[in-house]
Amino acid sequence: MMMEGSRSSSSNSCFTCQTRGRTEWCVLTDEELKLLDKGKVSRDYLPGEVIFHEADACQGIHCIESGLVGVRKMNANGQEILLRLGYPGDTLGYRSMLSGDDHNNSAEALEPSEICFIDAATVRTLLTRNPTLGLRFLNHAATDLSAAEDKVLQSTTLPVRARFAHLLLVLKDRYGVVGEDGAMVLELPLSRQDMAAMIGIRPESMSRTIRSFEDDEIARFTGRRVHVRNIDDLIEELELAEGL
Amino acid sequence: MMMEGSRSSSSNSCFTCQTRGRTEWCVLTDEELKLLDKGKVSRDYLPGEVIFHEADACQGIHCIESGLVGVRKMNANGQEILLRLGYPGDTLGYRSMLSGDDHNNSAEALEPSEICFIDAATVRTLLTRNPTLGLRFLNHAATDLSAAEDKVLQSTTLPVRARFAHLLLVLKDRYGVVGEDGAMVLELPLSRQDMAAMIGIRPESMSRTIRSFEDDEIARFTGRRVHVRNIDDLIEELELAEGL
DNA sequence: CGCCAGGTTGATTTCGCTCAAGCAATGTGG
DNA sequence: CCACATTGCTTGAGCGAAATCAACCTGGCG
């Protein structure tokens, strides 16, 4: 009875792909694009479906056409964190593919998503054919690296409230609507658990943090909808923690 | 009165550079190497000397010939963490250079170090000339990224003792001498403060953690020399925290 | 000599975790 | 259609780990 998007979206072509402009593939020539198109396999995922697991052999890379993906990492204990979110145009698993390792994190659809898979051989062919592609990936890696380092700093120096405020500010750019009075309505793409995993705390602490924001009248949470009185309160929360 | 290594080590040539085999430059042709050699500037740094600061404009990249470098990042509050250590053969600042940003962390010599600077223009020329070089950097970025993500996971899920045990185990590979009975002598390249910054805690907590290791007879610390009874104790400390 | 940075120690506090219970929404099988 | 599990979220009580604040000690150095 689940009538989500069709399972066989192989009808899609890289040539007509809406999100290609945002991917590394935008530098390919028509010839190369043909190669890519032949090599790729598109698939639909439902929320909760796993795209690849940590320690799986990496067979190639994934490219998000539409939807939302969570990149997770867990330790032996079973505790997990949500490293980052993947949006349309993002590439997944390129790190492991390029260094020939197994996947060292897992990816899971958080919303119904359409994701292309490109096998390692094709990627390698394209990389040698078009050097600019490599530089594109290099840029991507550099950006991810910078974000990861920020996350290290944040998680060791900022208190939970500030980290949560920061998360809301990040989600604002994509899911928020801000009025001119500074008020905001935000439709969260994440469950409480996932928000907790995102800032590296337990679900209980997430609940309490939300509670404290409500008590301080910074925001009201009803389900996945958030009303923020004034965005500046969130920014202030951040700056306060960073020592003005 | 400070008679450290000479300041003008521009006599060094990339052709004879001992550490080149470990750098990204190992893929260059003689012709390209000549270009690199002409473009680089070598310099000696004393411990504590800063190679570049956060928010400085990034003019090019640095290549460590010898010594030890600490890569730091700090928040507005002044709290800082030590993101990673740079060893001979490592490249610094490539991330910022490639994305054209300002430096987003700082680098400081922790030991007397000899470091080459290669200006952005030269790097870019080489990158377009030799596509393999780009792939080399890509690999480097991928490795750093993986390490950074590990650090995020560790710092949010592992207790301080486990993180410290892990640090000692990492330093072991480069600075430790292990006997066949499992005992180890380790000459720390870092001050207590820097070790604290490395695992994201305050100096006081570092002291206490060292104390607790001594009380538990896992290790004895005298200055920068560490005697570890049995490495397995460190491994156990880690596994214990990760849930067996 | 006095100063100062790096390190240690103690007392206290605070933040987030653990454990435990409860609750609402959803699903399932008889 | 109801009894019952299951899952996601919230709340409370208590605990524990690390931060904070403050004092003090050491060795190097002007």
Side-chain angles (χ1 to χ4, degrees):
Chain A
M1 244 216 197
M2 31 175 90
M3 36 200 319
E4 309 286 336
S6 76
R7 228 88 229 297
S8 58
S9 45
S10 47
S11 58
N12 295 355
S13 157
C14 295
F15 290 95
T16 59
C17 178
Q18 293 297 316
T19 51
R20 200 183 80 232
R22 268 175 284 163
T23 70
E24 357 279 323
W25 315 112
C26 66
V27 300
L28 296 186
T29 65
D30 274 13
E31 176 107 5
E32 289 154 1
L33 211 52
K34 210 183 293 178
L35 226 92
L36 175 61
D37 195 51
K38 227 169 42 190
K40 72 118 177 35
V41 181
S42 185
R43 217 199 107 176
D44 284 352
Y45 291 85
L46 295 176
E49 275 195 279
V50 170
I51 298 152
F52 55 81
H53 266 112
E54 217 168 325
D56 278 357
C58 178
Q59 319 268 15
I61 64 181
H62 295 263
C63 186
I64 307 175
E65 250 183 281
S66 69
L68 179 67
V69 173
V71 178
R72 299 178 195 279
K73 192 176 183 73
M74 59 184 278
N75 68 9
N77 212 353
Q79 297 184 81
E80 72 176 6
I81 58 171
L82 200 40
L83 281 175
R84 62 176 165 276
L85 299 178
Y87 299 109
D90 282 353
T91 305
L92 303 170
Y94 70 94
R95 197 216 70 79
S96 303
M97 210 225 73
L98 291 165
S99 50
D101 293 338
D102 292 342
H103 282 294
N104 56 354
N105 45 46
S106 68
E108 173 196 331
L110 299 179
E111 290 175 0
S113 303
E114 207 171 346
I115 292 164
C116 285
F117 172 78
I118 301 118
D119 68 286
T122 304
V123 178
R124 266 188 265 277
T125 306
L126 289 170
L127 272 176
T128 52
R129 274 219 197 184
N130 189 333
T132 318
L133 182 63
L135 294 182
R136 277 300 179 137
F137 273 108
L138 184 46
N139 247 295
H140 190 148
T143 307
D144 281 357
L145 179 54
S146 178
E149 292 181 344
D150 277 346
K151 195 150 187 161
V152 175
L153 184 64
Q154 283 218 351
S155 62
T156 60
T157 64
L158 293 187
V160 167
R161 273 177 66 111
R163 306 214 298 272
F164 186 44
H166 180 256
L167 175 60
L168 293 178
L169 285 170
V170 170
L171 293 175
K172 169 195 69 124
D173 294 333
R174 204 170 273 262
Y175 301 97
V177 180
V178 186
E180 53 234 51
D181 55 347
M184 165 171 75
V185 179
L186 184 60
E187 195 69 36
L188 296 171
L190 297 172
S191 67
R192 315 276 149 142
Q193 295 189 113
D194 281 343
M195 287 197 293
M198 199 84 188
I199 59 178
I201 61 174
R202 330 246 119 233
E204 297 97 314
S205 297
M206 184 77 263
S207 269
R208 291 185 227 280
T209 306
I210 286 174
R211 192 50 150 52
S212 76
F213 271 37
E214 291 190 320
D215 289 348
D216 294 353
E217 309 213 303
I218 292 175
R220 275 182 33 239
F221 294 77
T222 52
R224 289 196 174 189
R225 176 152 293 174
V226 190
H227 291 259
V228 178
R229 291 267 170 209
N230 192 335
I231 303 204
D232 294 342
D233 293 341
L234 296 178
I235 297 169
E236 199 183 310
E237 191 67 37
L238 245 184
E239 291 178 342
L240 182 76
E242 285 182 338
L244 217 73
Chain B
M1 251 230 187
M2 31 176 87
M3 36 200 317
E4 309 286 336
S6 77
R7 228 91 231 296
S8 58
S9 44
S10 47
S11 58
N12 294 356
S13 157
C14 294
F15 289 95
T16 59
C17 178
Q18 293 296 318
T19 51
R20 200 183 80 231
R22 267 174 283 164
T23 70
E24 358 278 323
W25 315 112
C26 67
V27 299
L28 297 186
T29 65
D30 274 14
E31 176 108 3
E32 289 153 2
L33 210 52
K34 209 183 294 176
L35 225 94
L36 175 62
D37 194 51
K38 228 169 41 192
K40 71 117 175 41
V41 181
S42 185
R43 216 201 108 178
D44 282 353
Y45 292 85
L46 294 176
E49 276 195 279
V50 171
I51 299 152
F52 55 81
H53 266 112
E54 216 168 326
D56 278 357
C58 178
Q59 318 268 15
I61 64 180
H62 294 264
C63 185
I64 307 174
E65 248 184 283
S66 68
L68 179 67
V69 174
V71 178
R72 299 178 194 279
K73 191 176 183 76
M74 58 185 279
N75 69 8
N77 211 356
Q79 297 185 79
E80 72 176 4
I81 59 170
L82 199 41
L83 281 175
R84 61 175 166 276
L85 299 178
Y87 299 109
D90 281 354
T91 306
L92 303 170
Y94 70 95
R95 198 216 69 80
S96 303
M97 210 225 74
L98 291 165
S99 51
D101 292 338
D102 292 342
H103 282 294
N104 57 355
N105 45 46
S106 67
E108 173 196 332
L110 299 179
E111 290 175 0
S113 302
E114 206 172 346
I115 292 164
C116 285
F117 172 77
I118 301 118
D119 68 285
T122 303
V123 177
R124 265 189 266 277
T125 306
L126 289 171
L127 272 176
T128 51
R129 274 220 195 184
N130 189 333
T132 318
L133 183 62
L135 293 182
R136 277 298 178 140
F137 273 108
L138 184 45
N139 247 296
H140 190 148
T143 306
D144 281 357
L145 179 54
S146 177
E149 292 181 342
D150 277 346
K151 196 153 185 157
V152 176
L153 184 64
Q154 282 217 351
S155 61
T156 60
T157 64
L158 293 188
V160 167
R161 273 177 66 111
R163 306 215 298 273
F164 185 45
H166 181 255
L167 174 61
L168 293 177
L169 285 169
V170 170
L171 293 175
K172 169 197 69 129
D173 294 332
R174 204 170 275 261
Y175 300 97
V177 180
V178 186
E180 52 233 51
D181 55 346
M184 167 172 73
V185 178
L186 185 59
E187 195 70 34
L188 296 171
L190 298 171
S191 67
R192 314 275 149 142
Q193 294 189 114
D194 281 343
M195 287 197 293
M198 199 84 187
I199 59 178
I201 61 175
R202 331 245 119 236
E204 298 96 315
S205 296
M206 184 77 260
S207 268
R208 291 185 226 281
T209 307
I210 286 174
R211 192 52 150 52
S212 76
F213 271 38
E214 291 191 320
D215 289 348
D216 294 354
E217 310 214 300
I218 292 175
R220 276 182 33 239
F221 294 76
T222 52
R224 288 196 175 190
R225 176 151 295 174
V226 190
H227 291 259
V228 178
R229 291 266 171 209
N230 193 336
I231 304 205
D232 295 342
D233 293 342
L234 297 178
I235 298 169
E236 199 182 310
E237 192 67 38
L238 246 183
E239 291 178 342
L240 182 75
E242 284 182 339
L244 214 72

